[in-house]
Amino acid sequence: MDAPVLNVEGLKTHFFTRAGVVKSVDGVSLQLAPGEILGLVGESGSGKSVTGFSILGLIDPPGRIVEGTVRLEGRDLTTLDDKAMSRVRGKDLAMIFQDPMMTLNPVLKISTQLIETVLAHAPVSKAEARQRAIAALAMVGIPSPEERIDAYPHQFSGGMRQRVAIATALLHRPKVIIADEPTTALDVTIQSQILAKMQELCREIGTAMIWITHDLSVVAGLADRVAVMYAGRIVETGPVGAVLDFPHHPYTQGLIGSVPSHAEPGARLAQIPGATPSLSALPDGCAFAPRCAKAIGLCRREAPQIEPLGMASVACHVAQGTGGLE
Amino acid sequence: MFAFILRRAGQGLLVIAVMVVLVFFGVNVVGDPVWILVSPDMTQDQIAEVARSLGLDRPIQEQFFLFVGGILQGELGRSFVHGTPAIGLILERMPATLELALVALMLAIVVGIPLGLYAGLYPDSAPARGIMAVSILGFSLPTFWVGLMLIMVFSVMLGWLPATGRGPVGHFLGIPTSLVSWQGWVHILLPAINLALLKISLVIRLARAGAREAVLQDYVKFARAKGLGRGRIVGVHILKNIMIPIVTILGLEFGSLVAFSVVTETIFSWPGMGRLLLEAIQRLDRPVIVAYVIVVVCLFVVINLMVDIIYSLLDPRVRLSEAAT
Ligand SMILES: Nc1ncnc2c1ncn2[C@@H]1O[C@H](COP(=O)(O)OP(=O)(O)OP(=O)(O)O)[C@@H](O)[C@H]1O
Ligand SMILES: [Mg+2]
């Protein structure tokens, strides 16, 4: 792997709520090579979005990054103040959100929202900024962008709005883009169009991407590597082919078993028994142990570390064989 | 757009018709204006003469039809007390009231929005708590009491500002106003603050609620993710969104500013139409009361129309044709 463009190490983001400390992200490490697409998957509430927002420095109180580093081309972003950070956001590091209906400001024209983004990072004239904005809209496949740019968000469909958000994110050809389930709110045909467009554009611009999703089939078609997240930690990561075809971690195995296409037609969907643990009261050992059919005594006592196993890396005592004769 | 204005004007006419009927007969229920106009030493004949000259000797239905006939010819009747056209009396006093209401509205915006915005962005800070406490006071203290306190502190004790009256009247674009001179501003400040207090509290609450809601929205997070500065996010993205409800409600509240000015005008001896109304009610000067009602309803119709237009300019999702239905 080339020198990673984004290197997250030991990231811990906790929310200090009245009900207790919610350990939404609890020791996540990720590496992203230039131009690479990483799929970040996991159940709802496993901390995927919080990971994304932490990387951008967009965690608000009562949340806080309590530990770890986020290095973008070697520079640790967690040490930057808000002003310095806002020079990185939208320029080298961009993000798109799940719900395109909510992402754009309803009372500002598309042109305003694009042009302000250009001007935030490039010392150009307003006319030049407008030209760049139009070019960005054309790039994401919005027809007749010269006219459409002066429309308001409500005059666009959901798919078109997501394209506008993507155009906004790509304006400054960022090194890394974090896409937080950007197709979940769209219908299936639009989903695949957007997916294909993102893949094409990232390849063209050389942008590396973290694609957050519930949907393993999207990861299979899109990503180079995948990271599986459970209760604030990465439990398994590696090349998509290796992880999806030969999953080591019982949780990954369970996730794959619950994908409809893997089941026999008419057969019941496999489900992981139990529910995700409360992030404010995690068990001592492996967070997945209470739901794991293969758990041994060690799993309940000691949290496993993530270690290389074959082509992937896995955090599981059983898979690593450290359980010994127990 | 044109159809929209026409429909609004039609609605306004309907309201005017209903109000005129109510006020016309309502005043008659309260008492007989003749008895207030005559002096005790007049003879029976003189009193009958007064009633006849004012047309008050006829049956009430007949008076009403004569009055409506007058309206249709553009004649609202003469004041029983002053003997001059009632509408003229009202219009003469209107600029003073509108001027007071406008300055109060401006105060509400200029003071209320920044304070409310701050309280919404930093809800747990000490200044925010202070702002909210003051706004609760603004809501709960009676206007007349605050007015008296203002006079006591700023006029009597400190001697900074005059307690009563309006400054010298000049002209601006042909409109008589006291706002063209320094003395005018000095005079209007206390009554305007008094009148604005309730609205300032209202705007603070609206702006705070709006800001608290807006900061949680995805579009604000996205604006941050784009790398925009805090100033632009608050001043453009958040402000433009919270202005929509504020402008709408304030526009509608402008009418109540005009109505509430009756109290403020009385305390500060402000020569506006509120005071005129009060005098007219005391003397059962029916033509003036009716004329006041007609003028105020017209004012409301025009204001509502303007609010709708501004609203549609601020919120691109609203079209006037839709708002009208
Ligand atoms: N502001 C906050 N205050 C307290 N807890 C929070 C806050 N934001 C997130 N969390 C907690 O962090 C955990 C992880 O949330 P996150 O949004 O990252 O999940 P996710 O993996 O993105 O889920 P989904 O797939 O549903 O989007 C959740 O349990 C959530 O309750
Ligand atoms: Mg999420």
Side-chain angles (χ1 to χ4, degrees):
Chain A
M1 186 161 140
D2 301 336
V5 59
L6 182 75
N7 190 356
V8 178
E9 277 193 51
L11 181 70
K12 292 191 179 182
T13 304
H14 296 175
F15 290 88
F16 299 87
T17 66
R18 286 213 184 102
V21 181
V22 181
K23 299 177 175 172
S24 301
V25 174
D26 203 29
V28 161
S29 299
L30 294 170
Q31 282 78 37
L32 205 56
E36 184 182 43
I37 299 181
L38 172 74
L40 184 58
V41 298
E43 282 171 300
S44 193
S46 55
K48 306 181 296 292
S49 298
V50 173
T51 303
F53 287 127
S54 302
I55 292 172
L56 263 89
L58 287 179
I59 298 292
D60 292 318
R64 186 155 55 81
I65 296 179
V66 291
E67 236 181 271
T69 54
V70 176
R71 288 184 193 282
L72 184 71
E73 296 188 309
R75 180 157 71 139
D76 186 3
L77 302 182
T78 58
T79 59
L80 299 183
D81 62 11
D82 200 59
K83 194 137 193 206
M85 195 60 208
S86 70
R87 280 194 286 271
V88 177
R89 281 186 216 125
K91 185 162 191 298
D92 296 327
L93 190 55
M95 186 158 178
I96 44 181
F97 298 164
Q98 174 169 357
D99 190 350
M101 296 307 191
M102 313 294 289
T103 305
L104 302 172
N105 193 325
V107 301
L108 299 177
K109 286 182 184 173
I110 302 290
S111 52
T112 312
Q113 304 190 46
L114 282 167
I115 290 171
E116 69 183 1
T117 314
V118 177
L119 296 178
H121 301 291
V124 296
S125 70
K126 220 165 165 196
E128 163 70 15
R130 191 182 162 84
Q131 284 315 310
R132 288 196 195 182
I134 290 172
L137 289 182
M139 183 175 77
V140 295
I142 288 183
S144 49
E146 298 87 357
E147 295 138 42
R148 303 282 277 160
I149 192 171
D150 285 314
Y152 284 96
H154 72 277
Q155 294 165 310
F156 279 58
S157 68
M160 282 296 157
R161 285 192 220 189
Q162 197 59 291
R163 283 169 195 260
V164 172
I166 293 168
T168 313
L170 294 180
L171 271 172
H172 296 281
R173 303 178 159 256
K175 308 277 185 332
V176 174
I177 181 166
I178 295 170
D180 190 355
E181 310 195 39
T183 57
T184 317
L186 305 173
D187 59 49
V188 185
T189 45
I190 312 281
Q191 265 189 35
S192 52
Q193 287 173 15
I194 299 265
L195 270 173
K197 197 81 212 173
M198 283 298 281
Q199 199 169 19
E200 172 200 326
L201 290 173
C202 284
R203 198 148 292 158
E204 204 178 300
I205 301 176
T207 295
M209 176 156 74
I210 297 180
W211 187 281
I212 297 174
T213 181
H214 289 113
D215 192 344
L216 280 173
S217 59
V218 168
V219 171
L222 175 79
D224 304 308
R225 282 190 313 124
V226 60
V228 181
M229 202 163 172
Y230 185 80
R233 295 187 186 180
I234 306 277
V235 294
E236 180 160 9
T237 179
V240 166
V243 173
L244 295 191
D245 290 341
F246 307 102
H248 291 294
H249 198 286
Y251 177 65
T252 319
Q253 291 166 353
L255 271 188
I256 292 170
S258 63
V259 173
S261 60
H262 280 255
E264 295 291 315
R268 280 192 59 178
L269 206 58
Q271 276 187 342
I272 306 173
T276 36
S278 158
L279 292 176
S280 49
L282 287 175
D284 278 339
C286 170
F288 188 60
R291 296 170 74 186
C292 182
K294 297 176 183 165
I296 52 177
L298 178 63
C299 301
R300 295 193 180 82
R301 289 196 304 271
E302 199 180 299
Q305 297 302 310
I306 191 157
E307 269 158 32
L309 186 70
M311 294 175 71
S313 298
V314 185
C316 173
H317 292 307
V318 176
Q320 289 161 354
T322 42
L325 293 174
E326 220 178 320
Chain B
M1 176 76 190
F2 185 68
F4 171 75
I5 294 177
L6 218 63
R7 185 160 29 207
R8 276 310 176 78
Q11 286 166 1
L13 280 180
L14 204 72
V15 174
I16 289 177
V18 172
M19 288 302 290
V20 164
V21 173
L22 283 179
V23 172
F24 195 92
F25 292 102
V27 171
N28 245 70
V29 172
V30 177
D32 188 346
V34 177
W35 290 106
I36 293 181
L37 293 167
V38 297
S39 48
D41 54 344
M42 280 184 172
T43 65
Q44 223 25 270
D45 278 354
Q46 284 172 312
I47 293 175
E49 178 54 34
V50 169
R52 197 164 29 252
S53 72
L54 295 175
L56 290 172
D57 56 335
R58 301 170 196 244
I60 181 81
Q61 310 89 300
E62 206 180 317
Q63 291 180 34
F64 183 70
F65 286 120
L66 281 174
F67 172 73
V68 171
I71 290 183
L72 294 179
Q73 291 163 32
E75 170 71 49
L76 273 181
R78 287 169 178 273
S79 158
F80 294 159
V81 178
H82 302 270
T84 53
I87 190 78
L89 283 170
I90 300 281
L91 292 183
E92 203 181 295
R93 305 286 195 96
M94 196 158 79
T97 295
L98 287 186
E99 166 183 301
L100 183 62
L102 268 177
V103 173
L105 189 71
M106 236 171 54
L107 274 176
I109 292 173
V110 174
V111 177
I113 289 180
L115 290 183
L117 208 52
Y118 183 90
L121 293 177
Y122 308 98
D124 296 322
S125 67
R129 285 169 204 275
I131 291 168
M132 292 326 287
V134 170
S135 103
I136 289 172
L137 280 185
F139 267 121
S140 42
L141 295 178
T143 305
F144 72 90
W145 185 83
V146 175
L148 295 176
M149 286 301 125
L150 286 175
I151 291 179
M152 190 128 112
V153 174
F154 292 100
S155 309
V156 179
M157 285 162 63
L158 297 172
W160 289 352
L161 296 164
T164 58
R166 189 179 181 208
V169 177
H171 284 267
F172 178 72
L173 300 175
I175 304 162
T177 168
S178 72
L179 298 181
V180 287
S181 68
W182 174 247
Q183 270 304 311
W185 280 97
V186 168
H187 277 84
I188 205 170
L189 203 57
L190 279 189
I193 289 175
N194 185 217
L195 190 56
L197 211 64
L198 208 66
K199 303 302 163 208
I200 292 178
S201 305
L202 180 71
V203 173
I204 287 179
R205 304 228 140 214
L206 288 173
R208 183 181 102 113
R212 288 198 71 167
E213 198 194 305
V215 289
L216 299 177
Q217 299 296 312
D218 269 3
Y219 64 77
V220 170
K221 207 152 203 179
F222 192 60
R224 288 166 72 197
K226 296 196 298 190
L228 300 188
R230 192 161 180 81
R232 177 140 186 116
I233 292 175
V234 172
V236 177
H237 284 259
I238 294 181
L239 192 62
K240 191 129 192 237
N241 272 282
I242 67 172
M243 279 314 277
I244 293 170
I246 292 180
V247 165
T248 313
I249 293 175
L250 266 192
L252 300 176
E253 290 285 325
F254 187 73
S256 88
L257 276 179
V258 172
F260 263 98
S261 70
V262 175
V263 177
T264 299
E265 285 179 9
T266 309
I267 299 170
F268 291 89
S269 303
W270 189 261
M273 54 185 191
R275 255 180 75 211
L276 184 69
L277 175 72
L278 218 60
E279 288 162 19
I281 291 175
Q282 278 160 2
R283 295 169 154 191
L284 296 180
D285 195 347
R286 194 173 65 201
V288 174
I289 302 175
V290 172
Y292 177 89
V293 168
I294 291 178
V295 166
V296 168
V297 173
C298 289
L299 206 67
F300 266 75
V301 171
V302 172
I303 290 169
N304 284 359
L305 196 66
M306 277 173 9
V307 169
D308 279 328
I309 292 172
I310 296 176
Y311 183 62
S312 74
L313 290 180
L314 278 178
D315 191 340
R317 290 162 296 187
V318 176
R319 297 253 174 73
L320 282 184
S321 51
E322 290 162 19
T325 54

